[in-house]
Amino acid sequence: MILSRKAQTITESATLAISSKAKKMKSEGIDVVDFGVGEPDFDTPEHIKAAAIDAIKKGYTKYTPATGIPQLKQAIADKLQQDNALSYKPSDIVVSNGAKHALFNAFYAILNPGDEVLMPAPCWVSYPELVKLADGVPVMVSADESNAFKTSADVLRKYINGRTKAILINSPNNPTGAVYAEDELKAIADLACEYDLVVVSDEIYEKLIYDDAKHVSIASFNDDIKARTIVINGVSKTYAMTGWRIGYSASNEEIASIIGNVQSQATSNPNSIAQYAALAALQGTQQAVTIMVEEFKKRRDYIYQHINGIEGLSCVKPAGAFYIMMNISQYTGQKINGCDIMGSIDFAQMLLDKAHVAVVPGEPFGDDRFVRLSYATSIEQIEKGLARIEQCLK
């Protein structure tokens, strides 16, 4: 039987694979400290859950318009205007089954076979696979630790050729926590306009920023960059609603129409109940977000300090999201607890097997010198996990 060659090129998500093995070990009674999780450990705020229950009671359980209910699309347009200085009509917005679905739709709408998408690396493991599913070619552009894991317009320019179609920006960033400054984004925006490129801007972590960092949407500089940018966002990270699966895209009218047509044939509307929950999230109190960000900052400061206190390990302080990249390069080529460490996958496997600590290898993110730790878990778990790592390396 000959199966899809394209589908067979898609790899399993490294983050989900590690999480799956960690969960299996936990089910067997093993005490695993899981740094792999990519979702807030907070519960969805009560007023959001209440809105969903109310929607069920009112019978809002039927099909909705394929691109989302009008009230939610208007609320998203209002949010983009208020938070990001972006003016979109509800018809420019498509509500999807999570931000990952919105990204899939975006790449499907803009790419033709062989089109290249530049993406700063380390980057989220799903980006290259989503581009390949849309017949595009992912091009990894190194964003080095020495520059807080951020690339620049000058570096991106070196990768542009006749096949380049788009630049992917993710700020705040998964897996590095990098947040691009306004002048850095402005230079990239000018580059995109100069070469007539599309920008896909994944802003799903925009509210999770710390210290003096400021989130700026690359689409906000002028009409030219706005017209060629597809803004991706959602409620998953900001409101601890990962399982509700509501994301969205905002783009120019032509792209939004194509995305809407694709979604109408592929999945139809996102979950009706979750849409009303998302509406409550956007329009209701934001106090829970403030509390969550304050707690994440405490955890970030703790994990940053303690990683840099372990011999042979180091990290830079992330400005956003809830991830930190731990540099393990000093252990490459060594044998630890009987395990040969040739890279991040070996290191992650060794920690899981020997220390019962789950981290995500950096190799699938595009940099084998690191492993990713999520601090979307309690201080107690972070303390326990880092103590195990330090003891294991000794």
Side-chain angles (χ1 to χ4, degrees):
M1 183 181 294
I2 300 175
L3 303 177
S4 166
R5 295 183 180 87
K6 180 169 68 174
Q8 291 180 75
T9 68
I10 305 305
T11 60
E12 180 185 21
S13 167
T15 52
L16 294 181
I18 289 289
S19 179
S20 177
K21 183 167 184 179
K23 287 178 180 177
K24 183 176 184 297
M25 291 173 68
K26 289 179 182 178
S27 71
E28 296 168 350
I30 300 172
D31 178 23
V32 176
V33 176
D34 190 357
F35 287 118
V37 65
E39 61 181 349
D41 57 318
F42 298 89
D43 194 11
T44 304
E46 288 299 323
H47 71 283
I48 298 174
K49 293 191 286 187
I53 294 169
D54 185 56
I56 293 172
K57 290 180 177 178
K58 289 180 177 178
Y60 297 156
T61 56
K62 307 297 183 183
Y63 291 130
T64 75
T67 58
I69 58 175
Q71 309 95 297
L72 178 55
K73 293 171 70 171
Q74 183 62 60
I76 291 168
D78 294 341
K79 173 257 178 274
L80 291 169
Q81 181 69 67
Q82 179 179 328
D83 293 351
N84 310 108
L86 292 170
S87 178
Y88 287 103
K89 305 185 301 294
S91 58
D92 298 330
I93 293 163
V94 177
V95 184
S96 302
N97 299 283
K100 183 184 284 190
H101 185 210
L103 283 161
F104 174 86
N105 287 341
F107 291 129
Y108 203 91
I110 66 172
L111 297 179
N112 290 304
D115 285 349
E116 294 182 354
V117 179
L118 307 185
M119 51 187 68
C123 66
W124 184 38
V125 295
S126 291
Y127 290 143
E129 308 307 317
L130 290 169
V131 168
K132 289 190 289 185
L133 278 170
D135 289 325
V137 179
V139 178
M140 309 293 255
V141 179
S142 178
D144 197 70
E145 183 184 28
S146 62
N147 190 38
F149 295 108
K150 293 184 285 187
T151 190
S152 68
D154 290 338
V155 172
L156 288 165
R157 185 184 296 273
K158 298 174 184 178
Y159 289 82
I160 295 175
N161 58 53
R163 297 181 299 277
T164 308
K165 172 63 72 71
I167 299 172
L168 171 67
I169 294 295
N170 175 213
S171 176
N173 181 270
N174 173 12
T176 67
V179 177
Y180 282 79
E182 185 171 351
D183 60 333
E184 294 169 327
L185 289 172
K186 182 64 167 61
I188 294 172
D190 291 344
L191 182 72
C193 294
E194 177 184 347
Y195 285 93
D196 192 26
L197 302 177
V198 179
V199 174
V200 178
S201 181
D202 184 353
E203 304 178 14
I204 189 69
Y205 293 96
E206 70 161 322
K207 298 292 186 181
L208 306 182
I209 52 177
Y210 316 110
D211 304 326
D212 297 327
K214 177 185 177 183
H215 172 72
V216 177
S217 176
I218 195 172
S220 66
F221 295 120
N222 54 58
D223 289 341
D224 192 358
I225 187 60
K226 177 175 177 285
R228 63 180 66 253
T229 298
I230 305 173
V231 175
I232 305 293
N233 211 322
V235 298
S236 294
K237 313 298 183 179
T238 301
Y239 301 101
M241 293 178 67
T242 51
W244 297 76
R245 308 312 303 138
I246 295 292
Y248 59 84
S249 63
S251 56
N252 71 52
E253 187 174 355
E254 181 182 13
I255 293 176
S257 177
I258 295 171
I259 289 175
N261 290 339
V262 169
Q263 180 163 299
S264 70
Q265 297 297 343
T267 64
S268 295
N269 63 274
N271 181 284
S272 60
I273 303 305
Q275 288 188 68
Y276 286 97
L279 179 62
L282 292 173
Q283 293 184 333
T285 174
Q286 303 297 300
Q287 183 180 7
V289 180
T290 301
I291 293 171
M292 187 165 63
V293 171
E294 289 175 352
E295 181 61 28
F296 280 145
K297 181 182 182 301
K298 292 177 185 176
R299 297 174 185 179
R300 180 208 59 167
D301 293 345
Y302 183 93
I303 198 170
Y304 166 74
Q305 178 183 353
H306 281 69
I307 286 176
N308 283 306
I310 299 175
E311 184 177 355
L313 300 179
S314 64
C315 62
V316 298
K317 183 179 285 188
F322 41 67
Y323 308 107
I324 196 162
M325 291 292 271
M326 186 168 73
N327 191 318
I328 61 163
S329 58
Q330 290 192 38
Y331 288 98
T332 302
Q334 295 192 33
K335 184 183 288 289
I336 304 174
N337 287 315
C339 303
D340 292 318
I341 307 300
M342 304 310 295
S344 62
I345 294 177
D346 291 335
F347 189 91
Q349 189 64 58
M350 182 274 297
L351 284 185
L352 189 56
D353 291 341
K354 304 296 183 179
H356 298 161
V357 174
V359 300
V360 183
E363 191 269 339
F365 293 118
D367 199 323
D368 205 25
R369 299 171 298 167
F370 299 86
V371 296
R372 189 195 78 177
L373 283 73
S374 166
Y375 47 91
T377 188
S378 69
I379 286 286
E380 291 75 20
Q381 286 294 100
I382 293 171
E383 184 177 23
K384 182 196 294 186
L386 293 179
R388 289 183 181 182
I389 291 173
E390 183 171 16
Q391 184 60 38
C392 185
L393 296 179
K394 286 180 179 179

